[in-house]
Amino acid sequence: MKELTQLFFPKSVALIGASPSEEKLGGIALRNLLGMKGKVYPVNPRYDEMLGIRCYPSIREVPGVVDLSVLMRPADEVPGILAEHAGKARFVLIVSAGFAEIGAAALQDEVIRIGREEKLRLVGPNCLGIFNPYHRLDTLFLPHGCLKRPKRGNVAVVSQSGALMMCILDAIRMANIGISKAINYGNAVDLDAPEVYEYLAGDDTTAVVVSYLESVGDGRRFLEAARFLSERKPLLILKAGKGEGGRAAAFSHTGRLAGDYQVFHSLMNQFGLREVAGFDDLLDAAKAVSYQRPAPGNRVCIVTNGGGSGVLAADECARQGLELPDLPEEVRIGLRQAFPSFYTIANPIDLTGQVRIEDYPKALHAVRDQYDGFLVIALTGVPGVTLGLGEYLRTFKEAVGKPLVVHIAQGGVAPRLIRQLAQAGIPVYRSPERAVLGLAALLGSRGGWHG
């Protein structure tokens, strides 16, 4: 899959339909591309120069062969412009919409034919394209003021939908997670998810892949590539088009049939692939696996200072197939001797609103060898929860090396504590249920990841 290196790390990019105006998509895209590590060639026959850079009348006039050409012209012009790319580009990213997704299948077929005849690798059409902060490659036609880009990190996003990719990028930025690469492949006339999966399996900057799908082209190829990737790195898949209405919407969006969801779901389970239920689940799981590595087992211990929050977490554990075994007898005896009589010594361990900051590490270290993962709930509106909790949890995580997630309610030291934990690689969630979803993504691993 080394071929895709030229797509994600192009040394040269041509922008067909470039504009000097910030009010036009071609102008926005040009400004975003100019930060790239490499040469950028604006192409527009109406201009000789654009933003201080020489502008070319056509791709034929651009010197040499470009690694990537970004095509931003109306759909009916695309076949003719694409034919001009013969021998001039390795990859052509077709941003333009107006193909099979609106019923213009013949036009899309013509694009496919030209691409094959001229040996061009095609991305799209009907897509935003690629964001690679490690190369400062940004083909998105969205101003930074409208979509702030995430920092560099270890999460790759593979999305059939451009709108969903935008939402995921924004959510990842707000969660203080970083991106390794992001690609929206739209109608997928050539490049499709499986080939991207195979590339990301060997990408050193990617530790986890999140993928939004509406439809699958070659089912066998998809499953094989997804399993190949998931055996090496966490792969989280969100499948849309589950019901009749969703399948119809998916077809009108990308022009590809979504297929029978129950068959898809069954095959995902059969191949041991991880499917998440919804958008929030996708982000919660991505946060967890971007911070920590998955581990085997599903035995969970909850340590809380709020009984109700512990019950909510316990209920979600049951829904997620996580076990909450009782505390071993020797652990119960030891904790009863160490703690006040009004603490609940069970699973969850309830330290109550009268918690003392040192009680959290006492409880955690007492159960460290009996459980596979830990959920800490800290309601910060009580005097006993201080910033010292962050250091205690960091030390515990480093000593034990098992999955640990935290739910912190807003109030008191919450904002500073959340930042402190994030710096320690401990994911924090806004609700007990979402914390359990994050923990579930980290547990049950087999062969490096789990289904």
Side-chain angles (χ1 to χ4, degrees):
M1 289 297 102
K2 290 184 178 179
E3 181 186 12
L4 295 194
T5 300
Q6 293 177 318
L7 176 62
F8 286 105
F9 293 90
K11 295 179 181 178
S12 54
V13 176
L15 177 60
I16 316 299
S19 170
S21 172
E22 295 184 42
E23 297 180 357
K24 294 185 176 181
L25 299 185
I28 297 168
L30 177 59
R31 284 163 175 79
N32 291 340
L33 281 170
L34 287 177
M36 187 196 78
K37 297 178 181 179
K39 288 186 173 294
V40 177
Y41 299 103
V43 175
N44 189 323
R46 296 173 57 195
Y47 299 91
D48 295 324
E49 178 269 343
M50 201 173 286
L51 302 183
I53 305 171
R54 181 181 172 185
C55 188
Y56 296 85
S58 76
I59 187 66
R60 302 305 307 172
E61 305 302 317
V62 171
V65 179
V66 297
D67 289 331
L68 174 64
S69 178
V70 181
L71 208 168
M72 301 184 69
R73 294 297 300 163
D76 59 355
E77 296 181 19
V78 168
I81 296 174
L82 194 60
E84 296 177 352
H85 280 70
K88 293 296 295 181
R90 294 178 174 88
F91 286 88
V92 181
L93 167 60
I94 305 173
V95 176
S96 320
F99 294 89
E101 78 278 5
I102 64 164
L107 185 60
Q108 183 161 300
D109 288 343
E110 178 70 0
V111 166
I112 295 171
R113 182 190 65 78
I114 295 170
R116 288 174 178 169
E117 286 183 357
E118 305 302 343
K119 296 181 173 56
L120 301 168
R121 294 303 316 275
L122 305 181
V123 184
N126 183 29
C127 66
L128 287 174
I130 302 165
F131 174 62
N132 178 5
Y134 287 92
H135 192 60
R136 298 201 296 270
L137 173 64
D138 185 345
T139 73
L140 315 186
F141 52 80
L142 304 163
H144 284 242
C146 296
L147 178 68
K148 294 181 180 178
R149 280 25 171 202
K151 64 183 180 181
R152 297 195 305 181
N154 63 4
V155 178
V157 179
V158 183
S159 179
Q160 194 166 354
S161 163
L164 257 292
M165 186 173 82
M166 290 166 51
C167 293
I168 293 171
L169 290 179
D170 195 48
I172 282 176
R173 179 189 63 82
M174 291 191 292
N176 199 34
I177 309 172
I179 286 287
S180 61
K181 290 168 185 65
I183 181 168
N184 162 225
Y185 54 89
N187 294 11
V189 297
D190 179 14
L191 186 73
D192 208 342
E195 192 173 353
V196 181
Y197 290 169
E198 290 165 357
Y199 171 80
L200 293 174
D203 179 42
D204 291 339
T205 61
T206 297
V208 54
V209 179
V210 299
S211 183
Y212 170 82
L213 294 169
E214 292 175 358
S215 61
V216 174
D218 184 335
R220 181 173 295 278
R221 172 84 191 284
F222 169 81
L223 290 167
E224 290 174 350
R227 184 163 62 178
F228 176 79
L229 171 58
S230 67
E231 287 172 347
R232 291 156 179 80
K233 301 173 183 181
L235 168 62
L236 303 164
I237 294 175
L238 174 59
K239 174 69 168 66
K242 297 176 182 179
E244 195 62 39
R247 287 195 292 272
F251 182 75
S252 66
H253 184 199
T254 62
R256 300 208 307 181
L257 291 171
D260 188 309
Y261 173 70
Q262 291 306 318
V263 173
F264 176 87
H265 181 70
S266 175
L267 287 169
M268 290 284 287
N269 287 333
Q270 181 181 328
F271 276 71
L273 299 170
R274 173 84 179 189
E275 183 185 4
V276 296
F279 185 78
D280 286 340
D281 296 4
L282 181 73
L283 296 175
D284 291 340
K287 178 192 284 189
V289 295
S290 72
Y291 282 3
Q292 300 178 24
R293 296 306 299 164
N298 68 343
R299 294 162 55 88
V300 172
C301 185
I302 300 170
V303 182
T304 180
N305 68 332
S309 298
V311 173
L312 290 174
D315 286 344
E316 189 62 32
C317 282
R319 284 190 287 269
Q320 295 299 320
L322 299 177
E323 297 180 12
L324 287 176
D326 292 336
L327 300 179
E329 180 66 21
E330 65 274 16
V331 171
R332 285 204 305 272
I333 292 171
L335 290 179
R336 287 209 177 280
Q337 293 173 347
F339 288 156
S341 60
F342 52 85
Y343 282 13
T344 299
I345 308 304
N347 190 9
I349 300 172
D350 184 3
L351 305 177
T352 79
Q354 297 185 56
V355 64
R356 301 163 301 193
I357 191 64
E358 64 271 15
D359 293 341
Y360 278 105
K362 281 183 185 177
L364 287 167
H365 280 288
V367 299
R368 58 182 286 175
D369 296 327
Q370 286 78 25
Y371 296 89
D372 306 308
F374 307 91
L375 166 56
V376 170
I377 297 174
L379 308 182
T380 53
V382 299
V385 177
T386 68
L387 283 176
L389 178 61
E391 181 60 23
Y392 279 133
L393 295 182
R394 183 191 66 78
T395 302
F396 175 77
K397 168 182 170 282
E398 292 176 355
V400 176
K402 294 180 179 180
L404 167 67
V405 304
V406 178
H407 160 53
I408 291 180
Q410 294 297 322
V413 298
R416 286 180 291 168
L417 185 55
I418 290 170
R419 288 195 295 270
Q420 192 180 68
L421 291 170
Q423 291 170 356
I426 300 172
V428 180
Y429 297 91
R430 292 181 295 173
S431 74
E433 295 91 344
R434 294 184 69 171
V436 171
L437 287 168
L439 188 57
L442 288 165
L443 291 174
S445 173
R446 53 179 193 268
W449 183 231
H450 63 284

